[in-house]
Amino acid sequence: MRNTLLFALLISLINVNSLFAVAGGSEEGGQIDTKEEINEYIQHHLQDSHDFTFWTNGKTGSHIGFHLPVILWSDGLHVFSSGKFDYGHEVAESNGKYFALYHSKVYETNAAGDIELDEEGHATNAKPLDISITKNVVGMLLTSLLMFLGFISLAKGYDKRSIPKGIGRILEPLVIYVRDEIARPNIGPKYEKFIPYLLTVFFYIWILNLLGLTPLGFNVTGNIAVTVGLALITFFVTQFSGNKDYWKHIFWMPGVPIPMKIILMPIEVLGMFTKPFALLIRLFANITAGHVVVMSLIALIITMRSQFGIVASSSISFGLAFFITLIELLVAFLQAYIFTMLSALFIGMAVEEHH
C-alpha cells in the first residue's frame, strides 16, 4: 500500500509539473490559458504522435523530446526522421514528394505545405500508407519487451528454486490469480489450452495502462484501433474454439419451437458480434475517460490561478489529481481483469459441453 501511494504521488507530481511547464507554451508557441487551448492540449495528449515531447518553451516555441522514424508508402517507400516535420511546423521532403502533419496525421502536400479543407474542416489531401514507429507503437514494443524479460526471468527462476525472486514475486501471484480465478471457473476443464492467451492479454493491457499514467504520454489502450484488435483476437479465438453445441445454440437452438428458432437465430448471430464490441468499447471508453479526467484536474492550475493564485490552485489541482491517480491505478488493473474475465467467459461459452 505504501509503494502504491508513493507511485501515485510521483506520477501526480510529474504530471502536474509537465502540464504546468507546457502551460507556458502551446504547440504553436504562446501561453495556454483559455479553456479552448486546454481542451486542445488534452486532445493532443490523447492522440498518437510521431515524436515525444517532454517540454515546450513558450517564449521560444522550442521543444524538448526526441523524434521517431516515419515510414510511408506513396508511389514507393519513404523513410525519414519525424524531425523533418519539426513538430508539425515544417514540410518534409522525401524522394521528390512532400508531406505535412495536420492534427497528427500525415498528408501529401506541395512544397508550401498547403492543406485543403472541406466544408466541415477535414483535410482532403491524399494520405499515404503510414506504417511509422509512432509513440503508441513504442509503448506496445516496450510493453512486449517488459513482458518477455519478466516471464523469461520467472521461468528461469523455477529452474533454480521453487520460490521465485525479484520480479517473479510480483508475476507469480498474478499468474496464479488469472489461472485460478479467471480461466478455470469461466472456461472449465479445457482452461489450460487458453491460459497463454489470457495471461498475455491480462499483462499486456495492465502494463499498457500503467505506462499510460506516466508522463511519457502513452495512450495505447485509449486508441480505438488497439482495442478493436484485441477484441477481434478474442472473437476469433472464441469462434474457432466453438464446438457443435455452441453453433447449434446459435443457428438452431434445441428445445425451442421452430418459429422461435427463426426469430432467435439472427439475434444470436448479432450477439456473436456485440460481445467483442462491448469488450473494445469498455476498455477504450474507460481508459480515455480516465486520461481526460486526470488532465482536466491538472489543468485547474491554469484555469484557477487568476482567482486563487498559483499556490492555492496548484495545491487544489495536485490534491485532486493525486486522488484520481490512485483510482486510475485501480482502474488500470480492473480493466485488464474485466477484459480477460469476459474473454474467458466468452471462450467458456463456446467450448462448454452440453449434456
Side-chain angles (χ1 to χ4, degrees):
M1 183 62 183
R2 183 180 64 181
N3 292 337
T4 301
L5 290 172
L6 290 175
F7 183 65
L9 179 63
L10 178 62
I11 290 176
S12 300
L13 281 170
I14 297 176
N15 282 334
V16 168
N17 183 66
S18 297
L19 185 60
F20 189 64
V22 177
S26 64
E27 291 296 314
E28 293 77 22
Q31 292 284 336
I32 292 181
D33 50 15
T34 67
K35 292 182 179 180
E36 291 75 17
E37 290 172 334
I38 292 171
N39 289 334
E40 183 180 350
Y41 173 76
I42 292 175
Q43 291 299 321
H44 176 77
H45 170 79
L46 295 175
Q47 293 176 348
D48 198 3
S49 175
H50 288 80
D51 46 56
F52 283 86
T53 305
F54 302 119
W55 186 280
T56 300
N57 190 315
K59 296 180 180 179
T60 64
S62 61
H63 303 271
I64 296 178
F66 60 90
H67 304 291
L68 297 170
V70 177
I71 307 172
L72 307 173
W73 180 270
S74 177
D75 298 329
L77 186 64
H78 303 268
V79 181
F80 54 90
S81 169
S82 63
K84 282 191 173 184
F85 290 129
D86 190 22
Y87 297 94
H89 295 207
E90 300 291 340
V91 178
E93 187 276 333
S94 175
N95 299 330
K97 286 223 169 206
Y98 296 93
F99 305 95
L101 277 178
Y102 182 73
H103 291 304
S104 300
K105 304 291 184 182
V106 180
Y107 293 92
E108 295 183 25
T109 184
N110 52 26
D114 296 327
I115 299 292
E116 298 180 2
L117 306 177
D118 59 19
E119 295 178 354
E120 298 179 352
H122 299 141
T124 59
N125 295 52
K127 291 179 64 176
L129 176 63
D130 191 350
I131 52 175
S132 306
I133 307 298
T134 62
K135 187 164 60 175
N136 282 352
V137 174
V138 172
M140 291 187 282
L141 293 175
L142 177 59
T143 299
S144 301
L145 178 62
L146 291 174
M147 290 175 60
F148 179 79
L149 295 177
F151 283 105
I152 287 294
S153 175
L154 177 63
K156 288 184 177 180
Y158 283 121
D159 295 335
K160 302 176 182 179
R161 62 187 71 85
S162 58
I163 300 177
K165 293 181 65 178
I167 191 66
R169 292 187 177 181
I170 299 175
L171 295 178
E172 186 188 51
L174 292 172
V175 170
I176 295 174
Y177 180 82
V178 172
R179 183 194 68 185
D180 294 345
E181 302 298 330
I182 298 179
R184 184 178 290 169
N186 289 297
I187 298 178
K190 299 180 180 180
Y191 76 94
E192 291 185 355
K193 178 181 177 181
F194 304 98
I195 278 289
Y197 171 64
L198 296 177
L199 285 174
T200 301
V201 168
F202 176 82
F203 283 96
Y204 189 70
I205 295 175
W206 182 49
I207 296 174
L208 281 174
N209 289 346
L210 290 179
L211 288 177
L213 296 175
T214 67
L216 292 173
F218 295 125
N219 185 34
V220 182
T221 48
N223 187 315
I224 192 70
V226 175
T227 59
V228 167
L230 292 172
L232 282 176
I233 296 174
T234 293
F235 173 76
F236 287 122
V237 169
T238 301
Q239 307 315 317
F240 284 107
S241 302
N243 55 30
K244 61 180 181 180
D245 293 314
Y246 171 73
W247 294 109
K248 185 185 297 184
H249 275 72
I250 291 177
F251 292 104
W252 205 250
M253 190 174 294
V256 176
I258 292 179
M260 290 301 298
K261 290 181 179 180
I262 298 174
I263 296 174
L264 290 175
M265 182 173 62
I267 297 176
E268 290 293 329
V269 171
L270 181 62
M272 292 169 52
F273 299 97
T274 56
K275 291 184 180 73
F277 182 76
L279 279 179
L280 71 94
I281 290 298
R282 182 189 299 273
L283 180 59
F284 165 75
N286 279 282
I287 297 303
T288 300
H291 282 281
V292 171
V293 170
V294 171
M295 297 302 294
S296 298
L297 290 175
I298 295 174
L300 290 176
I301 295 176
I302 303 170
T303 58
M304 297 173 61
R305 63 184 174 187
S306 60
Q307 298 174 334
F308 299 98
I310 189 62
V311 176
S313 60
S314 298
S315 301
I316 295 172
S317 177
F318 172 76
L320 293 173
F322 176 67
F323 174 72
I324 294 298
T325 302
L326 283 175
I327 296 178
E328 282 295 293
L329 289 174
L330 174 62
V331 171
F333 175 86
L334 190 61
Q335 290 305 314
Y337 165 78
I338 291 175
F339 193 99
T340 309
M341 187 271 291
L342 290 177
S343 296
L345 182 63
F346 298 154
I347 293 171
M349 294 167 62
V351 302
E352 181 184 4
E353 297 290 344
H354 298 272
H355 302 288

